[in-house]
Amino acid sequence: AQSVTQLGSHVSVSEGALVLLRCNYSSSVPPYLFWYVQYPNQGLQLLLKYTSAATLVKGINGFEAEFKKSETSFHLTKPSAHMSDAAEYFCAVRGGGSNYKLTFGKGTLLTVNP
Amino acid sequence: EAQVTQNPRYLITVTGKKLTVTCSQNMNHEYMSWYRQDPGLGLRQIYYSMNVEVTDKGDVPEGYKVSRKEKRNFPLILESPSPNQTSLYFCASSFSFGGQETQYFGPGTRLLVL
């Protein structure tokens, strides 16, 4: 079985501050890991994907995530928050091989204060 | 323009009245999937399809059916809708090659079952 836990349903930062959104996963096989963003009243957009090629994954809009196997974590970071980053962020895990089931975390709402 | 379309976008129905939500993609993607989004629960995968005539259950398949007779279409069928299926539904398609993944989500279908 696979699962995702996102720590903190709501994170608030000031504009220009570091963004850190936490994600821990559980998977019985080496996983694929994803981060998605959902802007208000919109669908989802893929931010980045981890596939074991590199532990540090760079995504769109200046976001990156680091895979740490020992900690079973895949935290999302951005050095400097922008007002336009305000959205809900979802971490997701998919088992490798022929397992295409995708399991999401419950999401973290990011607010950015001026 | 690459896109995933869903119809209808909004639907109000009554308990037990069969309904179908259509999903279509124009990118020749092999992988398609359906999700529901509920407040506090995040997104949960309902069904997915790896190719024509190949489908499998996600985390919450109960009460839903799917079919994949053509590559471009992946309809979601609720044979006997119940109020607990009131939700926001998203369809998605994706393509993976060489570790890179492209995903597109539809705009969502908001369903209310009375």
Side-chain angles (χ1 to χ4, degrees), chain A residues 3 6 8 25 36 44 48 53 59-61 76 83 87 93 96 99 102:
Chain A
S3 66
Q6 290 185 242
Y25 70 92
Y36 296 86
L44 273 81
L48 51 81
I60 62 172
N61 302 338
L76 182 71
M83 297 295 289
V93 62
N99 177 9
L102 187 64

Side-chain angles (χ1 to χ4, degrees), chain A residues 13-84:
Chain A
V13 300
S14 298
E15 192 172 19
L18 171 71
V19 175
L20 171 60
L21 304 181
R22 300 177 187 274
C23 172
N24 288 89
Y25 70 92
S26 172
S27 175
S28 57
V29 296
Y32 294 117
L33 295 160
F34 304 80
W35 274 101
Y36 296 86
V37 60
Q38 185 178 33
Y39 297 103
N41 299 312
Q42 293 188 26
L44 273 81
Q45 183 179 5
L46 178 65
L47 270 179
L48 51 81
K49 172 189 177 185
Y50 166 76
T51 61
S52 79
T55 56
L56 184 63
V57 183
K58 294 188 183 299
I60 62 172
N61 302 338
F63 284 93
E64 62 183 34
E66 186 173 9
F67 173 72
K68 292 188 176 180
K69 184 178 180 181
S70 61
E71 298 177 8
T72 60
S73 69
F74 191 56
H75 301 331
L76 182 71
T77 60
K78 182 173 181 178
S80 176
H82 192 272
M83 297 295 289
S84 61

Side-chain angles (χ1 to χ4, degrees), chain B:
Chain B
E1 178 191 356
Q3 61 182 352
V4 175
T5 56
Q6 294 179 227
N7 283 293
R9 294 288 313 280
Y10 304 91
L11 179 61
I12 300 174
T13 189
V14 295
T15 298
K17 186 176 180 181
K18 181 179 178 180
L19 67 91
T20 299
V21 183
T22 64
C23 173
S24 183
Q25 51 99 357
N26 62 359
M27 296 159 283
N28 203 37
H29 287 169
E30 292 183 346
Y31 183 84
M32 298 185 73
S33 54
W34 275 103
Y35 306 89
R36 61 177 290 175
Q37 183 174 20
D38 303 288
L41 297 177
L43 286 105
R44 292 176 292 170
Q45 190 180 52
I46 304 171
Y47 269 96
Y48 60 94
S49 170
M50 291 77 75
N51 212 329
V52 175
E53 303 292 1
V54 184
T55 63
D56 206 347
K57 297 176 181 179
D59 286 324
V60 289
E62 297 79 17
Y64 304 94
K65 285 176 57 178
V66 293
S67 68
R68 188 90 181 273
K69 293 184 171 62
E70 308 167 278
K71 204 170 194 179
R72 64 181 292 121
N73 296 321
F74 190 44
L76 180 68
I77 303 158
L78 285 72
E79 293 270 3
S80 182
S82 62
N84 64 15
Q85 293 178 297
T86 292
S87 187
L88 177 59
Y89 292 86
F90 289 102
C91 178
S93 73
S94 65
F95 172 72
S96 183
F97 181 76
Q100 298 301 310
E101 184 144 342
T102 304
Q103 293 188 6
Y104 289 85
F105 282 79
T109 294
R110 196 168 290 277
L111 173 65
L112 173 61
V113 183
L114 301 173

